[in-house]
Amino acid sequence: MSQDWDVIIIGAGTAGMPAAIFAAERNAKVLVLDAAPEVGGTLHLSSGQMSAAGTRLQKEKGIEDTPEMHIEDIMRISKNTADRDIAGLAVDNAAETLDWLEAINFKPLPDHPVKGQAHEPYSVLRYVWGADLGKSILAVLKPPFEEAIASGKVTLKLNTRVTALTQDDNGSVTGVAAQSDSGASESYSATSVVIAAGGYVANGAMYKELSGHPAYGDHSYPYCTGDGLNLGLTAGGTAWGHENYLTSFGVVMQSYDVPAKVRCRQIHWPERRMPWEIYVNAHGERFIREDEPSVDVREHTIQEQPELRHWIVFDSTTLKEAPQLFADFGPDDIKAAAEKGEPMFYVADTIAALAEKAGLPADALTETINTFNTGQASGQDALGRQNMPRPITDGPFYAIRSQAFSVSSTVGLKVNTDLQVIREDGTPIAGLYGAGEALGQGAMMGSSFCGGMLVTPALTFGRMLGQRLLPLGATAQAAE
Ligand SMILES: Cc1cc2nc3c(=O)[nH]c(=O)nc-3n(C[C@H](O)[C@H](O)[C@H](O)COP(=O)(O)OP(=O)(O)OC[C@H]3O[C@@H](n4cnc5c(N)ncnc54)[C@H](O)[C@@H]3O)c2cc1C
């Protein structure tokens, strides 16, 4: 059967752009389709934090690190819930990706690599990002991507959403059907199709179905609506990772809408700021020692609380004297927001009145605070908290509602180590490959966040597919 294209790439984002760049370098004839009006996908929003072991940068700075050490860290942090084969494949090839990014002008921050802060830290310095976060990566991907288009090897069609995969009688994928914004239906055939269409966080219904929780946060790329996963499943693929849903600890939302944008971010890392406040759940009960040192423990504990939320409760002396609770939102802002009755911020002269405003059970909150205050006086906290700055005694009293949510998709398409999408019985669907968040974060990091293990694998698997798919291409001439 004659083919229009050697490779069709669905999605011109984090994984899709390197796939196209490397396939073009090897003279493949590449079609890239993206539903959005511009390239870049989630790199427009991502923090762009990447982890890789054995990079040129690490060697220059005398940091000893290997892919074996990296995968052992991932298995330790994830408590063996990451997929050793797929995460291992990403880790084994990550340094080459980072070295390539630097060769095309990516500049990590001067004091990088670091061990990481946002999630459970790595054991060595292997974590980097640029000054402009995800956009720093996009900025260096664009020139070679545009060159590949200019050379005629890559054809890019924006505003074009892939709606179906075409398959022959044996189930092999032979191309795609797509719809442009003008409403025109198009179909293209290819030897290989790469699903690089990202995750499903912008699809509230799908997010809820797959995670069991609403998508509380409105911080995803709007075109990541789960098409990649759905296309792969319809073609016979299988999904994995459902058991690995995890959120960050908590942020304060702008409104009670679902989803809502973030208003301010709580500094809940005791190494950055020791908590003076207490955290209570919807039952008005403390559920964790607030100075719990492990971010992984904090992230898992919040999963067990109703609606993944907690209230930060404190008194007016803490408001005045404690180090700032939010990075860009000071005590005066908290006071003003609470006095104006803005969403998530509550203030009242008594604990009972505070409970009523915040929607918490008054008796339980009163008892919780009494018990906490007794612990502060005796030096023995009921939950083992070590940081004992003061009791909650001086009205007016404050509560701030904090919501946990995730910006990435846990569930994804199952692939083998050739990045072929596989069926439930493990057999590959000929002609169909996957990279990026469409594979689900569970594969890369199991049920814990491992820093940089979405962006780096997306770039890496895209690069590897661009390099590897060529031998299957009918018209390509390898430029060895
Ligand atoms: C706020 C935020 C911060 C993050 N920070 C980090 C971090 O620091 N480190 C980390 O490792 N991860 C981070 N992540 C996650 C990481 O950025 C993403 O997992 C990764 O960028 C996804 O890459 P991708 O190639 O799979 O998808 P994307 O980069 O999103 O690309 C997918 C592309 O596919 C297109 N598309 C979708 N459906 C179709 C269709 N049917 N037809 C055609 N095109 C389609 C989209 O328009 C998009 O351009 C963060 C995510 C967010 C939202």
Side-chain angles (χ1 to χ4, degrees):
M1 180 183 168
S2 77
Q3 304 290 341
D4 293 341
W5 306 91
D6 293 323
V7 186
I8 292 176
I9 299 168
I10 308 173
T14 320
M17 290 176 81
I21 293 165
F22 280 92
E25 263 187 24
R26 313 273 316 267
N27 288 332
K29 194 179 161 202
V30 184
L31 175 64
V32 183
L33 302 169
D34 201 296
E38 60 178 339
V39 300
T42 303
L43 287 177
H44 290 282
L45 308 172
S46 178
S47 306
Q49 303 187 340
M50 297 177 280
S51 54
T55 61
R56 197 181 307 126
L57 179 69
Q58 285 177 312
K59 285 176 194 145
E60 278 165 16
K61 295 201 171 185
I63 300 159
E64 259 185 56
D65 196 10
T66 62
E68 292 71 34
M69 289 162 69
H70 193 177
I71 191 69
E72 287 317 320
D73 256 0
I74 289 170
M75 299 316 285
R76 169 184 62 81
I77 292 169
S78 73
K79 296 174 204 68
N80 291 319
T81 55
D83 185 273
R84 190 179 270 275
D85 291 341
I86 297 302
L89 183 71
V91 157
D92 284 346
N93 293 281
E96 200 176 327
T97 301
L98 256 287
D99 291 351
W100 167 65
L101 279 186
E102 282 205 66
I104 59 171
N105 252 336
F106 172 77
K107 304 258 181 283
L109 289 175
D111 57 339
H112 282 196
V114 294
K115 288 186 180 175
Q117 292 179 321
H119 307 299
E120 203 69 12
Y122 285 121
S123 56
V124 298
L125 306 167
R126 68 162 73 98
Y127 202 27
V128 300
W129 56 92
D132 211 9
L133 307 176
K135 287 182 186 152
S136 299
I137 303 169
L138 180 55
V140 300
L141 291 181
K142 268 188 173 172
F145 187 73
E146 283 161 5
E147 267 168 43
I149 293 172
S151 74
K153 290 173 194 158
V154 170
T155 299
L156 170 68
K157 284 180 177 278
L158 295 171
N159 299 305
T160 304
R161 180 180 181 191
V162 173
T163 50
L165 299 174
T166 48
Q167 288 173 281
D168 66 15
D169 292 345
N170 300 322
S172 303
V173 169
T174 55
V176 305
Q179 189 112 39
S180 72
D181 265 8
S182 64
S185 296
E186 300 157 7
S187 62
Y188 305 96
S189 63
T191 310
S192 307
V193 173
V194 176
I195 296 179
Y200 51 80
V201 183
N203 181 339
M206 193 167 169
Y207 186 99
K208 188 160 186 194
E209 188 192 325
L210 293 175
S211 70
H213 297 279
Y216 289 109
D218 180 9
H219 284 265
S220 54
Y221 193 58
Y223 296 88
C224 289
T225 51
D227 286 355
L229 178 54
N230 286 332
L231 289 167
L233 292 178
T234 307
T238 189
W240 62 351
H242 300 78
E243 67 286 7
N244 290 324
Y245 183 68
L246 186 67
T247 67
S248 298
F249 185 67
V251 291
V252 179
M253 295 300 189
Q254 290 179 8
S255 76
Y256 295 108
D257 296 340
V258 175
K261 294 261 184 227
V262 172
R263 181 164 191 186
C264 48
R265 294 174 190 276
Q266 178 185 349
I267 308 172
H268 61 83
W269 293 266
E271 63 274 23
R272 284 196 236 164
R273 175 195 183 271
M274 272 295 169
W276 285 37
E277 306 77 11
I278 59 168
Y279 305 152
V280 302
N281 60 19
H283 305 305
E285 291 163 355
R286 288 175 69 212
F287 55 91
I288 192 168
R289 57 175 277 209
E290 293 78 7
D291 56 359
E292 164 57 53
S294 162
V295 60
D296 187 58
V297 170
R298 296 198 297 280
E299 286 165 345
H300 279 91
T301 309
I302 200 69
Q303 308 301 302
E304 291 151 25
Q305 311 314 314
E307 297 175 293
L308 306 177
R309 64 178 62 131
H310 68 279
W311 285 254
I312 308 162
V313 178
F314 50 98
D315 69 2
S316 50
T317 302
T318 284
L319 181 71
K320 269 188 246 129
E321 293 182 3
Q324 199 161 309
L325 178 59
F326 304 107
D328 301 315
F329 201 79
D332 292 343
D333 301 314
I334 293 174
K335 188 166 179 289
E339 285 172 356
K340 283 188 217 151
E342 290 175 5
M344 316 297 162
F345 292 85
Y346 317 96
V347 60
D349 288 334
T350 65
I351 297 295
L354 181 73
E356 194 181 331
K357 280 190 176 176
L360 296 168
D363 289 350
L365 185 63
T366 306
E367 192 182 326
T368 295
I369 290 174
N370 288 342
T371 308
F372 172 73
N373 288 350
T374 306
Q376 289 284 307
S378 69
Q380 296 294 319
D381 180 68
L383 299 185
R385 173 173 163 153
Q386 304 292 301
N387 186 47
M388 312 287 263
R390 51 170 280 100
I392 298 172
T393 46
D394 301 345
F397 301 96
Y398 290 84
I400 304 173
R401 196 178 98 177
S402 177
Q403 180 68 55
F405 78 99
S406 174
V407 292
S408 43
S409 314
T410 317
V411 179
L413 290 171
K414 200 165 185 180
V415 290
N416 61 20
T417 50
D418 289 325
L419 301 174
Q420 294 173 292
V421 176
I422 56 174
R423 302 183 181 88
E424 204 172 346
D425 64 6
T427 56
I429 300 171
L432 189 61
Y433 298 80
E437 203 175 308
L439 310 187
Q441 79 179 36
M444 304 302 159
M445 45 179 118
S447 63
S448 294
F449 288 117
C450 299
M453 279 306 287
L454 278 170
V455 167
T456 331
L459 294 164
T460 300
F461 288 171
R463 175 180 65 74
M464 290 168 72
L465 284 172
Q467 291 169 326
R468 283 182 183 184
L469 288 182
L470 186 78
L472 301 172
T475 62
Q477 292 156 15
E480 294 290 352

